[in-house]
Structures are given as C-alpha cells and as structure tokens.
Amino acid sequence: MAKKAYGAAGVEATPVARGDDPRERIITAAKEVFIEQGFDLATVREITLRADVNVAAINYYFGSKEDLISEVLNLMMEPYTHARITALEKCEAGALPGTAPLEDVVNALVRPMVQFSRDAAGARPLTRLILQIRSRPRESTTRFFIKRVDPAVFRFIDAFERALPELHRRDIFWRYNFSIGAIMQVLIDSDPASYRLKKLSGDLCDTDNDEQIINQLSAFVCAGFRAPPTASWPKDL
C-alpha cells in the first residue's frame, strides 16, 4: 500500500490531477496552496506533496519559492490585466477623434475584474490572492505589481484624466484607488465561500449574476469620479 502524505496541520495532502508535465503539476498545486494558506504559510513541502514531485523540483523548474510565486501570479493575473488594457484601447479607439466617455473607461476597468476573477466553479481565487498580497506585502509581490500591474494602472489614470479634465490628477489617483477597493470588496463578498452580500441583503443582491455586479459597480464608480473636486489647488500644480 502506498504511504499517505500529510501536509500542513497533519491534514492528508490530496495530490493534484496527475499529468505528464511536473512543472504544470507544481504550478497547479502551488496555486491551490497559496490561495488556501497564503504565501507566508505555504511550504515547499506542501506544494511538492500535492504535485507528487520531490522537493528539488521547485529549484529545478523555478529557482525558488519566490520565483514560483511570481510565476503563479503572472499566470493568474496576465489574462485579467490584458483584458483590461484591451477593453480600454477598444473604448478609446471607438471614441476617436474625441475622448472616451467616463462610462466606457469605467466599464473597461470593472468588467474584466468581475469576469476574470471568477473560476469555473464560480469562486473568486484571483480576488483572494490579490487581497493576500495587499494585506501582507512582500518584496517579490511588490516587485511583480510594479512591473506587471502598474503600467496598466497608469493607462487608466491617464484615461480618467482625459475624461474628467476638471479634476486634479491627485483626485484621479484617490478615486481610482477607492474604486479598486469597492470592486475588491464586492467580489470577495460575492464569493460562494461566503455569499456575504447575498445573505446580508436577504437575496436582494444576486451576486451570482456578473452583469448585476458590473452594472451596480459601474454606476457607483462613475458617481464617485463625478463628485465635485475635493480641493481647490490649481490643476497644474
């Protein structure tokens, strides 16, 4: 009889679906462990148990745990980041020779975050991962965001500034950050693991319906951006 492997807290480790590529098995296992336990508590041993590979395989394929974290982040966030930029470019191209309206820029921000954060089972693993990164920053994840995420953020800041020329750029940054916070809050409260918003509202809020989430968030974010300027400094300061 094969010896059972045990992971964190003595819980029996369940290997991921076995395939021919050990590297892919490691990535799949790492994603599961990072989402369940966070980057700090996740161990190489737990990941290799689930991937059914030896510990040396992490160094062989990725170099280190930190490099593995970067690879998982890249694979999970690249489709969502690409979709955001593609949506923004599309709405800006459609507005030529004018400026893309605020509603279109907001839709390009909100829709990909809602749709690409949901997996096939309806859960929001990408949202859980981003919340971990925000709450427990580390050098590797900070470096990843600066390199792979921040360029997209600046594209949106510029688009919002063009759509709302009466606002100081400082206000744009604040309101962009508030908007991301609202989006993340709704997405984590719509995760089937908690269904907090659905339960709290007595089923008035159907958080299984992505279109409802997108419509509600877009209306809220647009209203926030259209609020009067919060300071009287000249725009060119």
Side-chain angles (χ1 to χ4, degrees), residues 38 48 62 70 76 86 98 100-101 110 117 130 136 148 151 168 170 174-175 198 206 223 228 236:
T48 54
F62 300 97
S70 295
M76 291 187 71
T86 299
V110 171
S117 63
I130 293 174
R136 297 185 66 86
R148 303 304 299 271
H168 192 287
R170 202 172 320 181
W174 276 113
R175 296 177 192 197
K198 186 180 181 72
D206 182 6
D236 60 350

mmCIF file of all heavy atoms in Angstrom, residues 38 48 62 70 76 86 98 100-101 110 117 130 136 148 151 168 170 174-175 198 206 223 228 236:
data_model
loop_
_atom_site.group_PDB
_atom_site.id
_atom_site.type_symbol
_atom_site.label_atom_id
_atom_site.label_comp_id
_atom_site.label_asym_id
_atom_site.label_seq_id
_atom_site.Cartn_x
_atom_site.Cartn_y
_atom_site.Cartn_z
ATOM 1 N N GLY A 38 -2.052 31.187 1.994
ATOM 2 C CA GLY A 38 -1.277 32.413 1.888
ATOM 3 C C GLY A 38 0.168 32.114 1.551
ATOM 4 O O GLY A 38 0.646 30.997 1.758
ATOM 5 N N THR A 48 4.968 20.341 -3.039
ATOM 6 C CA THR A 48 5.523 19.173 -3.726
ATOM 7 C C THR A 48 4.737 17.906 -3.413
ATOM 8 O O THR A 48 4.628 17.014 -4.259
ATOM 9 C CB THR A 48 7.004 18.982 -3.358
ATOM 10 O OG1 THR A 48 7.149 18.921 -1.925
ATOM 11 C CG2 THR A 48 7.843 20.133 -3.897
ATOM 12 N N PHE A 62 11.893 26.318 -11.124
ATOM 13 C CA PHE A 62 11.587 27.720 -10.850
ATOM 14 C C PHE A 62 12.712 28.497 -10.176
ATOM 15 O O PHE A 62 12.747 29.715 -10.255
ATOM 16 C CB PHE A 62 10.316 27.813 -9.980
ATOM 17 C CG PHE A 62 9.118 27.201 -10.632
ATOM 18 C CD1 PHE A 62 8.744 25.904 -10.320
ATOM 19 C CD2 PHE A 62 8.396 27.889 -11.589
ATOM 20 C CE1 PHE A 62 7.649 25.311 -10.930
ATOM 21 C CE2 PHE A 62 7.303 27.314 -12.211
ATOM 22 C CZ PHE A 62 6.931 26.018 -11.883
ATOM 23 N N SER A 70 5.961 34.334 -8.226
ATOM 24 C CA SER A 70 5.875 35.248 -9.372
ATOM 25 C C SER A 70 5.257 34.567 -10.587
ATOM 26 O O SER A 70 4.462 35.174 -11.315
ATOM 27 C CB SER A 70 7.266 35.785 -9.727
ATOM 28 O OG SER A 70 7.774 36.588 -8.674
ATOM 29 N N MET A 76 -2.014 33.850 -13.316
ATOM 30 C CA MET A 76 -3.370 34.171 -12.880
ATOM 31 C C MET A 76 -3.788 35.588 -13.276
ATOM 32 O O MET A 76 -4.954 35.838 -13.583
ATOM 33 C CB MET A 76 -3.492 34.009 -11.361
ATOM 34 C CG MET A 76 -3.412 32.575 -10.895
ATOM 35 S SD MET A 76 -3.757 32.386 -9.124
ATOM 36 C CE MET A 76 -5.528 32.730 -9.079
ATOM 37 N N THR A 86 -6.955 45.778 -23.176
ATOM 38 C CA THR A 86 -7.648 45.594 -24.462
ATOM 39 C C THR A 86 -8.981 46.341 -24.467
ATOM 40 O O THR A 86 -9.338 47.012 -25.448
ATOM 41 C CB THR A 86 -7.886 44.103 -24.733
ATOM 42 O OG1 THR A 86 -6.617 43.433 -24.791
ATOM 43 C CG2 THR A 86 -8.629 43.893 -26.046
ATOM 44 N N GLY A 98 -12.450 61.941 -30.543
ATOM 45 C CA GLY A 98 -12.723 62.543 -29.244
ATOM 46 C C GLY A 98 -12.124 61.743 -28.101
ATOM 47 O O GLY A 98 -11.267 60.885 -28.291
ATOM 48 N N ALA A 100 -12.689 59.153 -24.843
ATOM 49 C CA ALA A 100 -13.594 58.097 -24.386
ATOM 50 C C ALA A 100 -14.389 58.599 -23.193
ATOM 51 O O ALA A 100 -13.826 59.159 -22.253
ATOM 52 C CB ALA A 100 -12.797 56.857 -24.005
ATOM 53 N N PRO A 101 -15.721 58.443 -23.217
ATOM 54 C CA PRO A 101 -16.537 58.896 -22.084
ATOM 55 C C PRO A 101 -16.240 58.120 -20.815
ATOM 56 O O PRO A 101 -15.771 56.973 -20.860
ATOM 57 C CB PRO A 101 -17.976 58.671 -22.565
ATOM 58 C CG PRO A 101 -17.876 57.650 -23.637
ATOM 59 C CD PRO A 101 -16.533 57.836 -24.277
ATOM 60 N N VAL A 110 -13.998 47.824 -14.750
ATOM 61 C CA VAL A 110 -14.800 46.954 -13.896
ATOM 62 C C VAL A 110 -15.049 45.576 -14.501
ATOM 63 O O VAL A 110 -14.871 44.544 -13.837
ATOM 64 C CB VAL A 110 -16.154 47.631 -13.572
ATOM 65 C CG1 VAL A 110 -17.090 46.662 -12.864
ATOM 66 C CG2 VAL A 110 -15.934 48.879 -12.722
ATOM 67 N N SER A 117 -12.063 37.264 -12.553
ATOM 68 C CA SER A 117 -11.737 36.812 -11.197
ATOM 69 C C SER A 117 -12.506 35.555 -10.828
ATOM 70 O O SER A 117 -12.207 34.907 -9.827
ATOM 71 C CB SER A 117 -12.056 37.916 -10.178
ATOM 72 O OG SER A 117 -13.441 38.215 -10.170
ATOM 73 N N ILE A 130 -5.162 38.446 -4.531
ATOM 74 C CA ILE A 130 -4.821 39.867 -4.513
ATOM 75 C C ILE A 130 -4.989 40.441 -3.111
ATOM 76 O O ILE A 130 -4.170 41.258 -2.658
ATOM 77 C CB ILE A 130 -5.676 40.639 -5.533
ATOM 78 C CG1 ILE A 130 -5.303 40.215 -6.962
ATOM 79 C CG2 ILE A 130 -5.473 42.146 -5.376
ATOM 80 C CD1 ILE A 130 -6.191 40.802 -8.035
ATOM 81 N N ARG A 136 -0.569 41.464 3.134
ATOM 82 C CA ARG A 136 0.737 41.002 3.601
ATOM 83 C C ARG A 136 1.758 41.165 2.469
ATOM 84 O O ARG A 136 2.200 40.185 1.855
ATOM 85 C CB ARG A 136 0.675 39.546 4.055
ATOM 86 C CG ARG A 136 -0.252 39.313 5.248
ATOM 87 C CD ARG A 136 -0.189 37.876 5.725
ATOM 88 N NE ARG A 136 1.108 37.539 6.283
ATOM 89 C CZ ARG A 136 1.445 37.755 7.559
ATOM 90 N NH1 ARG A 136 0.590 38.324 8.378
ATOM 91 N NH2 ARG A 136 2.621 37.407 7.999
ATOM 92 N N ARG A 148 4.371 44.454 -13.597
ATOM 93 C CA ARG A 148 3.338 43.868 -14.445
ATOM 94 C C ARG A 148 1.968 44.517 -14.320
ATOM 95 O O ARG A 148 1.138 44.374 -15.212
ATOM 96 C CB ARG A 148 3.200 42.364 -14.124
ATOM 97 C CG ARG A 148 4.494 41.578 -14.275
ATOM 98 C CD ARG A 148 5.095 41.733 -15.681
ATOM 99 N NE ARG A 148 4.210 41.239 -16.701
ATOM 100 C CZ ARG A 148 4.185 39.985 -17.147
ATOM 101 N NH1 ARG A 148 5.001 39.105 -16.627
ATOM 102 N NH2 ARG A 148 3.356 39.622 -18.106
ATOM 103 N N PRO A 151 1.895 49.520 -14.945
ATOM 104 C CA PRO A 151 1.731 50.149 -16.261
ATOM 105 C C PRO A 151 0.267 50.251 -16.694
ATOM 106 O O PRO A 151 -0.143 51.268 -17.282
ATOM 107 C CB PRO A 151 2.532 49.221 -17.193
ATOM 108 C CG PRO A 151 3.584 48.637 -16.300
ATOM 109 C CD PRO A 151 2.896 48.424 -14.986
ATOM 110 N N HIS A 168 -8.193 67.423 -10.622
ATOM 111 C CA HIS A 168 -6.742 67.362 -10.418
ATOM 112 C C HIS A 168 -6.305 65.904 -10.528
ATOM 113 O O HIS A 168 -7.041 64.997 -10.134
ATOM 114 C CB HIS A 168 -6.398 67.922 -9.038
ATOM 115 C CG HIS A 168 -4.942 68.186 -8.829
ATOM 116 N ND1 HIS A 168 -4.009 67.186 -8.662
ATOM 117 C CD2 HIS A 168 -4.244 69.351 -8.742
ATOM 118 C CE1 HIS A 168 -2.813 67.709 -8.480
ATOM 119 N NE2 HIS A 168 -2.923 69.021 -8.520
ATOM 120 N N ARG A 170 -4.316 64.375 -8.758
ATOM 121 C CA ARG A 170 -4.299 63.815 -7.417
ATOM 122 C C ARG A 170 -5.663 63.210 -7.065
ATOM 123 O O ARG A 170 -5.751 62.137 -6.470
ATOM 124 C CB ARG A 170 -3.935 64.903 -6.410
ATOM 125 C CG ARG A 170 -3.381 64.398 -5.096
ATOM 126 C CD ARG A 170 -2.874 65.540 -4.247
ATOM 127 N NE ARG A 170 -2.168 66.540 -5.050
ATOM 128 C CZ ARG A 170 -1.608 67.640 -4.565
ATOM 129 N NH1 ARG A 170 -1.679 67.894 -3.280
ATOM 130 N NH2 ARG A 170 -0.982 68.487 -5.348
ATOM 131 N N TRP A 174 -6.758 59.228 -6.114
ATOM 132 C CA TRP A 174 -7.566 58.854 -4.962
ATOM 133 C C TRP A 174 -8.804 58.072 -5.397
ATOM 134 O O TRP A 174 -9.118 57.023 -4.832
ATOM 135 C CB TRP A 174 -8.017 60.119 -4.204
ATOM 136 C CG TRP A 174 -7.032 60.670 -3.224
ATOM 137 C CD1 TRP A 174 -6.363 61.853 -3.313
ATOM 138 C CD2 TRP A 174 -6.613 60.088 -1.981
ATOM 139 N NE1 TRP A 174 -5.557 62.041 -2.213
ATOM 140 C CE2 TRP A 174 -5.698 60.974 -1.379
ATOM 141 C CE3 TRP A 174 -6.935 58.905 -1.317
ATOM 142 C CZ2 TRP A 174 -5.102 60.720 -0.146
ATOM 143 C CZ3 TRP A 174 -6.342 58.649 -0.087
ATOM 144 C CH2 TRP A 174 -5.430 59.544 0.480
ATOM 145 N N ARG A 175 -9.504 58.570 -6.374
ATOM 146 C CA ARG A 175 -10.775 57.961 -6.761
ATOM 147 C C ARG A 175 -10.567 56.624 -7.475
ATOM 148 O O ARG A 175 -11.403 55.724 -7.348
ATOM 149 C CB ARG A 175 -11.584 58.954 -7.609
ATOM 150 C CG ARG A 175 -11.956 60.174 -6.784
ATOM 151 C CD ARG A 175 -12.689 61.254 -7.539
ATOM 152 N NE ARG A 175 -12.725 62.456 -6.699
ATOM 153 C CZ ARG A 175 -13.539 63.479 -6.885
ATOM 154 N NH1 ARG A 175 -14.403 63.464 -7.907
ATOM 155 N NH2 ARG A 175 -13.497 64.521 -6.088
ATOM 156 N N LYS A 198 -24.987 38.520 -0.576
ATOM 157 C CA LYS A 198 -26.251 37.854 -0.915
ATOM 158 C C LYS A 198 -27.072 37.571 0.348
ATOM 159 O O LYS A 198 -28.281 37.839 0.412
ATOM 160 C CB LYS A 198 -25.942 36.553 -1.658
ATOM 161 C CG LYS A 198 -27.146 35.799 -2.207
ATOM 162 C CD LYS A 198 -26.674 34.535 -2.909
ATOM 163 C CE LYS A 198 -27.818 33.738 -3.492
ATOM 164 N NZ LYS A 198 -28.406 34.396 -4.665
ATOM 165 N N ASP A 206 -28.125 39.676 -6.189
ATOM 166 C CA ASP A 206 -27.787 38.393 -6.807
ATOM 167 C C ASP A 206 -26.331 38.421 -7.242
ATOM 168 O O ASP A 206 -26.009 38.812 -8.363
ATOM 169 C CB ASP A 206 -28.707 38.120 -7.995
ATOM 170 C CG ASP A 206 -28.436 36.769 -8.652
ATOM 171 O OD1 ASP A 206 -27.610 36.001 -8.096
ATOM 172 O OD2 ASP A 206 -29.032 36.488 -9.709
ATOM 173 N N ALA A 223 -20.298 57.622 -10.313
ATOM 174 C CA ALA A 223 -20.764 58.664 -9.400
ATOM 175 C C ALA A 223 -19.620 59.189 -8.544
ATOM 176 O O ALA A 223 -19.514 60.399 -8.288
ATOM 177 C CB ALA A 223 -21.878 58.118 -8.512
ATOM 178 N N PRO A 228 -17.766 66.422 -6.900
ATOM 179 C CA PRO A 228 -17.017 67.673 -7.035
ATOM 180 C C PRO A 228 -15.582 67.499 -6.557
ATOM 181 O O PRO A 228 -15.287 66.653 -5.709
ATOM 182 C CB PRO A 228 -17.787 68.648 -6.121
ATOM 183 C CG PRO A 228 -19.144 68.056 -5.995
ATOM 184 C CD PRO A 228 -18.970 66.560 -6.061
ATOM 185 N N ASP A 236 -2.539 72.552 -12.435
ATOM 186 C CA ASP A 236 -1.172 72.395 -12.962
ATOM 187 C C ASP A 236 -0.117 72.377 -11.866
ATOM 188 O O ASP A 236 1.073 72.422 -12.146
ATOM 189 C CB ASP A 236 -0.859 73.486 -13.977
ATOM 190 C CG ASP A 236 -0.964 74.892 -13.356
ATOM 191 O OD1 ASP A 236 -1.458 74.997 -12.213
ATOM 192 O OD2 ASP A 236 -0.574 75.845 -14.046
#
